[in-house]
Amino acid sequence: MAEKLRERSVLLGTITKITYQDPQAPYTVARLEVDGVEEVTVVGGIFPVSEGEDIKVSGSWRMHPRYGLQFQAQHWEKVEPATQEGIERYLGSGLIKGIGPTYARRLVSAFGLDTLRILSQEAQRVLEVPGIGQVRAQRILRAWREQRGMQDVMVFLQGHGVSSSLALKIYRAFGAETVARVKENPYCLAEEIYGVGFVLADRIASTLGISGEFPLRVQAGLLHLLRKFSADGHCYVPLTPLKANASALLGVDEGASEQAIEKLAVDGKLVLESSGGDEETRAYPCEIYDAERRVAAVLRRLLANPSGLRDKGFKGSRIGEELFNSSTVLLEPEQREAISQALQQKVLVITGGPGTGKTTLLIALLMILRRAEVTFALAAPTGRAAKRMGEMSGEEAKTIHRLLEYNPHERRFQRGEDNPIGAEVVIIDEASMVDLPLMDHLLRAIEPRSHLILLGDVDQLPSVGPGSVLRDLIDSRVVPVVVLRRIFRQAGESLIVLNAHRILQGEPLLLEAQRERRDFVFVARDSEEEIVAVVKELVKERIPRSLHVNSAHEIQVLSPMHRGLLGTVHLNRELQQLLNPEGKTLQRGGTLFRLGDRVMQLKNNYDKGIFNGDLGKIVRLDTEEGEVEVDFDGRTVSYELEELDEINLAYATSVHKSQGSEYPAVVVPLHTSHYPMLHRSILYTAVTRGKELVVLVGSKKAVAMAIRNVRVEQRFTGLKERLVKPEVS
C-alpha cells in the first residue's frame, strides 16, 4: 500500500466487496477501492451500504492482530457515482428494475459518463444499445422515470445513511409522502418498515433536530424496547427494567421515561397492569395483553363446557379395556391413560421426550376416533412439523396457519368465532413452538364442545415468538397433563434418544462405539479452526458416504449462536462455498445468494404466506430484474431485491430456528466461545433434531458446560397467573 494513502484520514472510493455485515450493531467490514487502484479494508458502523456504492469515510488506520491493516471509520457518507465503473455498479445494483449487471454494462459501454443524463433527457436513445428492443426499453424507462420521480426521496434518505435498496423499499411503502412522513416522525420507519431499526431511525431523527428527551423520541424508544422484549419471547416488561433499558438506549433519566410511558398508556399504545401486592407494574404491548387475556378465558371456557364426545358414548365406563380393542396398536398403561384422558378432558397436554411413545399414542388415538366416527383435525406450527406429523399418522396434517385458513391478501384468519374449524377433536403437535398470538387465533377457532390435545416436549426451547404457552399451561395445573416417561425398547437402542434423556438428567453422554446403532458421535476438537474443518469434512464427504444423503439439503448444521467463527453467518459462507460454489449469484448486503442455495425465511410474511423458520431452495435467480424465487416444499415464492433481508442461507441455522424440524443428519459445533448459550435446553433441542445421526464436534469442556448448566429460559408471561386466578382476566 502506498505510504501516502496511509497518511490520509479521509478516503473516497467504491465498495467492491462486503466481507461481513451485522445490521444490529451496526457493523460492516468491506473492501474499498480508492483512486481506482488501491483496495483497502474499512471497518465500522458503515450501514446500510451495498456493493458498488461510492462512499466517503473519515477515520484512522489501525493494525488488527489477526486481519492486518484496516481503516477504522468514524464517519461516512454516500456520494454520487462519478466514474463509468461507479455508474455501471449503480445501475446494475438492482435499484432500477429491468437494468441488471448485463444491461448496465451495455448502457455504460454505449454512453459512458453521459449514461445517467441520457436516461433522463434523451430516453429514446436506449434503443441504440445492442440487445435492447422496444419492450425492454419501455420497461427500463418506466423504471427509470419512477426512480427519477423519487429522486428527492432517495437523495434525502441516502443523505441520512439509508442504502439505495432500503430507500426504495421505504419509497414503495410511503410513496410521494415519504419525505413529509419521515420529517414529521422519523420513527415511523422503525415501526412500519422491516429492515429499518430504531438506531437508524434515531440517527435520522437527530439530523432533523429530534434528540435528548424530546417526547416523540422517548416514546418511540420505549415502543422499540417493548417490541424487542417481545421478539425475545416476553409478553410484558416490568417497569423497572423497562425504564433502565430506556435510560441506557436513549441517555435520558427515568423521569422522562415515566412521562412517556404514561402518555403511551393514555394513547392506547401500551397497557399498564398492576396485580397489587409487592409485584411491579407490568407494561404490555396492547395486542399481547389482549391475546393473553383471551387465551386464558377461552381455555377456562373450553374446560367448563360439556364434551361433544359424550354423544359418541365416550364417558364413564366406556373409558375402559373395550375402548382399546378397536386399536391394533399395543399400548402401555401410561399411553392408555393418555388416550382415556384425551377422550374425557376438553383440553389435554401430553408431553414427553424422544422415544416415549407419543407417535404410537397418536396412531392409536386416531384409530379409535375413526372407528367412533369422530371428526378430527391435525396441525403443527411449521410446514416441516406438519409434514412429519402427516407421515407418522397417515392422515392429512396442516400448518396451524393453513388450518385457520389464513388469507394473505386480507391479512386475516378466515377461521374464528364466526367460522370455527368444526372438528370434534383438534390435535396440535410440537406445541412447545406455539407462541401466544398463534394460540390466541387457534383457540378462537375451536368450538366450545370440541377437544383440544396439545402434544409436545416441554424440555425443548420455548417458541420463537412471545410467550411460553406450553410450560405455562403445565405449570398452572389448571389444564390436565399427562407426562410420558418410559423410553421404549427400540428407542432405547438409539444413542440419540438415550443421550437426549441423559442431557436432561445432567449425566455424561454415552459414546459406545460397539453398539449396533451408532447414531450418536462425538468428535473432540479444541480450536475453532479445527472444528470448522471437521464440520466441512463431515458435511461434504463422511456423512453423505455413510448415510447416502444429500449434503446440501439433508444434513443440517446447528449452531448455538450467529456470530463468531462457529456462528451461523460464517459457517453458511463456508458451507455455501463448499456445497454450492458455482452458478448465478445476487448480492444483498453481506449475503451472496446463489442458484440452488438452501435458505430460511426469517420473519412471518403473511402477504406471501411464508413464516419464520420455513426452509426452501432457490430455484430461480434473475440478476437483471433483481428477483429470486424460492421453492418452499412445492410452493414457489418470489422475492424482489429489497425483500431479500427476509431470507438467509440455511446450510447452518441456529438451534432456536430448528425447532419443529427433523433432519436425517445433524452436525452441532460446540465450543467454549458459545458460553452464553451453552445450557441443557439448547443442547437437548439440537440433539433431538437428528433422526438417523447426530454428530457433536467440539471441546469436551463445552459439552460439559452445556450439560451442567440447567438454565431454563425465563420469560415475562402472565398466562399461568390468569389461568390460576381467573379474576385477573
Side-chain angles (χ1 to χ4, degrees):
M1 179 184 299
E3 287 300 317
K4 287 187 177 181
L5 189 60
R6 291 192 59 177
E7 294 173 1
R8 295 191 198 175
S9 60
V10 178
L11 301 178
L12 179 64
T14 303
I15 297 284
T16 58
K17 181 176 178 58
I18 292 176
T19 307
Y20 175 78
Q21 198 166 61
D22 181 359
Q24 299 302 317
Y27 186 79
T28 296
V29 179
R31 295 290 287 171
L32 183 72
E33 184 183 273
V34 182
D35 298 336
V37 180
E38 294 280 359
E39 277 205 359
V40 300
T41 299
V42 293
V43 301
I46 307 170
F47 183 85
V49 70
S50 303
E51 291 182 1
E53 291 186 305
D54 290 349
I55 64 170
K56 181 180 180 181
V57 290
S58 59
S60 58
W61 295 93
R62 70 169 188 178
M63 182 63 71
H64 191 282
R66 183 172 179 179
Y67 299 111
L69 189 65
Q70 298 178 335
F71 187 82
Q72 180 72 50
Q74 271 84 47
H75 176 75
W76 74 285
E77 59 185 86
K78 298 191 179 185
V79 297
E80 287 290 319
T83 65
Q84 291 190 185
E85 293 81 3
I87 294 171
E88 183 178 325
R89 288 195 183 101
Y90 170 72
L91 291 176
S93 66
L95 176 66
I96 301 145
K97 199 172 180 64
I99 305 181
T102 300
Y103 288 100
R105 190 180 311 115
R106 293 179 184 179
L107 285 164
V108 173
S109 295
F111 305 127
L113 293 174
D114 288 332
T115 301
L116 301 184
R117 181 188 61 78
I118 286 171
L119 284 170
S120 297
Q121 300 174 15
E122 302 177 56
Q124 72 282 356
R125 289 189 60 190
V126 299
L127 290 169
E128 300 173 13
V129 178
I132 296 184
Q134 195 69 41
V135 174
R136 169 72 64 174
Q138 288 177 357
R139 186 189 306 171
I140 289 174
L141 294 176
R142 186 167 55 247
W144 179 252
R145 281 193 296 270
E146 178 188 341
Q147 194 273 342
R148 299 311 284 181
M150 64 178 184
Q151 188 63 39
D152 290 343
V153 173
M154 299 296 288
V155 170
F156 171 77
L157 291 173
Q158 291 188 59
H160 291 84
V162 180
S163 72
S164 56
S165 58
L166 191 55
L168 181 59
K169 190 174 185 178
I170 294 168
Y171 178 80
R172 286 179 175 171
F174 295 157
E177 299 177 355
T178 301
V179 175
R181 287 199 61 181
V182 172
K183 285 184 175 180
E184 180 184 359
N185 179 11
Y187 299 102
C188 69
L189 296 173
E191 294 176 17
E192 300 182 43
I193 307 296
Y194 181 76
V196 180
F198 176 81
V199 173
L200 175 57
D202 196 42
R203 189 164 70 225
I204 295 172
S206 68
T207 66
L208 299 173
I210 300 173
S211 60
E213 296 185 359
F214 194 89
L216 180 66
R217 177 175 185 260
V218 182
Q219 291 170 30
L222 285 161
L223 290 175
H224 160 72
L225 286 171
L226 278 181
R227 287 192 296 270
K228 186 175 185 300
F229 272 97
S230 180
D232 290 339
H234 301 288
C235 294
Y236 68 86
V237 191
L239 282 187
T240 296
L242 179 60
K243 289 187 288 188
N245 276 272
S247 295
L249 174 70
L250 303 169
V252 300
D253 61 35
E254 292 195 0
S257 296
E258 287 175 0
Q259 291 178 12
I261 289 169
E262 291 171 6
K263 181 68 165 64
L264 290 169
V266 169
D267 292 345
K269 294 183 177 179
L270 61 79
V271 175
L272 296 177
E273 181 183 68
S274 176
S275 56
D278 297 330
E279 188 171 341
E280 195 172 356
T281 298
R282 304 167 175 178
Y284 275 90
C286 294
E287 63 277 10
I288 299 296
Y289 176 77
D290 293 337
E292 194 174 86
R293 295 177 78 239
R294 276 194 301 264
V295 166
V298 174
L299 282 170
R300 295 192 69 88
R301 192 158 59 243
L302 265 177
L303 289 165
N305 270 287
S307 167
L309 298 189
R310 289 177 177 269
D311 301 335
K312 307 284 185 177
F314 289 131
K315 60 180 179 178
S317 61
R318 277 296 306 277
I319 310 298
E321 194 66 35
E322 68 275 13
L323 176 69
F324 300 102
N325 292 337
S326 62
S327 168
T328 58
V329 180
L330 294 176
L331 299 171
E332 293 297 321
E334 65 177 16
Q335 293 173 310
R336 292 180 176 225
E337 175 61 20
I339 291 177
S340 295
Q341 291 293 318
L343 297 172
Q344 293 179 81
Q345 304 290 350
K346 293 292 301 306
V347 183
L348 180 69
V349 171
I350 301 174
T351 184
T356 55
K358 293 192 296 294
T359 301
T360 303
L361 184 156
L362 176 62
I363 292 170
L365 174 60
L366 295 180
M367 286 181 179
I368 292 166
L369 294 178
R370 281 193 294 266
R371 178 161 181 170
E373 298 183 347
V374 173
T375 58
F376 55 83
L378 308 181
T382 67
R384 294 178 70 88
K387 183 178 179 182
R388 195 171 75 250
M389 187 185 192
E391 291 170 349
M392 292 186 307
S393 66
E395 296 284 346
E396 181 186 21
K398 303 176 179 178
T399 63
I400 297 175
H401 283 83
R402 250 191 83 209
L403 179 68
L404 299 178
E405 297 178 14
Y406 181 78
N407 186 324
H409 303 295
E410 298 179 9
R411 298 194 179 191
R412 69 179 186 90
F413 293 96
Q414 296 185 96
R415 294 287 183 179
E417 297 96 327
D418 300 329
N419 183 26
I421 295 168
E424 294 167 284
V425 177
V426 177
I427 304 172
I428 305 297
D429 197 15
E430 296 287 356
S432 64
M433 295 182 63
V434 181
D435 62 22
L436 184 78
L438 188 56
M439 179 60 75
D440 176 34
H441 288 294
L442 174 67
L443 288 173
R444 281 192 268 171
I446 293 177
E447 291 184 307
R449 288 171 59 83
S450 296
H451 285 227
L452 173 64
I453 301 169
L454 301 172
L455 298 169
D457 186 348
V458 75
D459 292 308
Q460 287 188 30
L461 293 167
S463 59
V464 174
S468 186
V469 175
L470 187 65
R471 185 170 292 280
D472 283 350
L473 264 55
I474 293 172
D475 290 347
S476 74
R477 304 198 175 197
V478 171
V479 175
V481 178
V482 174
V483 181
L484 303 177
R485 291 188 171 88
R486 180 182 173 190
I487 302 176
F488 288 88
R489 186 188 66 80
Q490 186 175 0
E493 296 172 357
S494 166
L495 281 177
I496 295 175
V497 172
L498 287 176
N499 280 324
H501 288 274
R502 290 179 74 86
I503 290 166
L504 289 181
Q505 294 157 12
E507 298 176 358
L509 300 176
L510 286 176
L511 303 168
E512 301 173 19
Q514 67 271 24
R515 278 180 174 265
E516 184 176 338
R517 290 181 63 186
R518 196 185 178 203
D519 55 2
F520 190 103
V521 179
F522 174 66
V523 181
R525 294 292 187 274
D526 288 325
S527 77
E528 293 179 280
E529 290 82 2
E530 287 178 312
I531 294 171
V532 171
V534 171
V535 167
K536 291 167 67 174
E537 182 187 359
L538 286 165
V539 171
K540 177 68 174 176
E541 299 174 5
R542 291 169 62 179
I543 294 177
R545 191 166 57 238
S546 61
L547 290 185
H548 305 291
V549 295
N550 183 302
S551 295
H553 300 286
E554 294 182 279
I555 302 171
Q556 186 62 58
V557 176
L558 300 178
S559 174
M561 299 179 71
H562 292 293
R563 299 180 185 178
L565 207 60
L566 295 174
T568 59
V569 175
H570 180 256
L571 287 173
N572 269 319
R573 288 195 188 118
E574 293 286 315
L575 293 171
Q576 181 193 50
Q577 187 59 33
L578 184 73
L579 302 174
N580 191 28
E582 298 177 352
K584 195 181 293 185
T585 62
L586 191 63
Q587 183 85 25
R588 176 66 168 94
T591 303
L592 184 72
F593 294 100
R594 182 172 280 123
L595 188 65
D597 274 339
R598 185 181 194 178
V599 294
M600 175 180 282
Q601 177 74 17
L602 300 178
K603 67 181 284 274
N604 290 342
N605 187 319
Y606 294 102
D607 293 333
K608 296 181 185 297
I610 298 297
F611 304 100
N612 191 353
D614 285 352
L615 283 172
K617 178 183 178 181
I618 295 179
V619 293
R620 178 176 166 271
L621 195 148
D622 189 329
T623 56
E624 300 301 323
E625 299 292 335
E627 290 180 347
V628 167
E629 286 187 2
V630 180
D631 181 353
F632 290 97
D633 287 329
R635 184 163 179 264
T636 302
V637 176
S638 294
Y639 295 83
E640 295 192 2
L641 185 67
E642 67 271 16
E643 297 176 310
L644 290 180
D645 54 359
E646 294 188 15
I647 60 174
N648 204 356
L649 298 177
Y651 299 104
T653 67
S654 69
V655 178
H656 279 86
K657 290 285 190 183
S658 72
Q659 289 173 266
S661 297
E662 191 176 67
Y663 313 94
V666 164
V667 179
V668 186
L670 287 173
H671 190 264
T672 50
S673 62
H674 292 145
Y675 70 91
M677 300 299 292
L678 290 178
H679 53 84
R680 281 185 199 173
S681 56
I682 280 276
L683 184 55
Y684 174 77
T685 301
V687 165
T688 53
R689 299 309 89 204
K691 186 176 181 181
E692 299 177 41
L693 177 66
V694 171
V695 184
L696 302 186
V697 185
S699 68
K700 294 179 180 178
K701 184 177 180 180
V703 175
M705 286 171 64
I707 293 174
R708 192 167 56 243
N709 188 354
V710 196
R711 189 186 84 186
V712 175
E713 189 173 326
Q714 296 297 326
R715 294 185 168 186
F716 295 127
T717 76
L719 180 58
K720 172 187 170 183
E721 182 181 344
R722 296 185 196 282
L723 287 167
V724 173
K725 301 176 183 177
E727 67 274 7
V728 175
S729 299

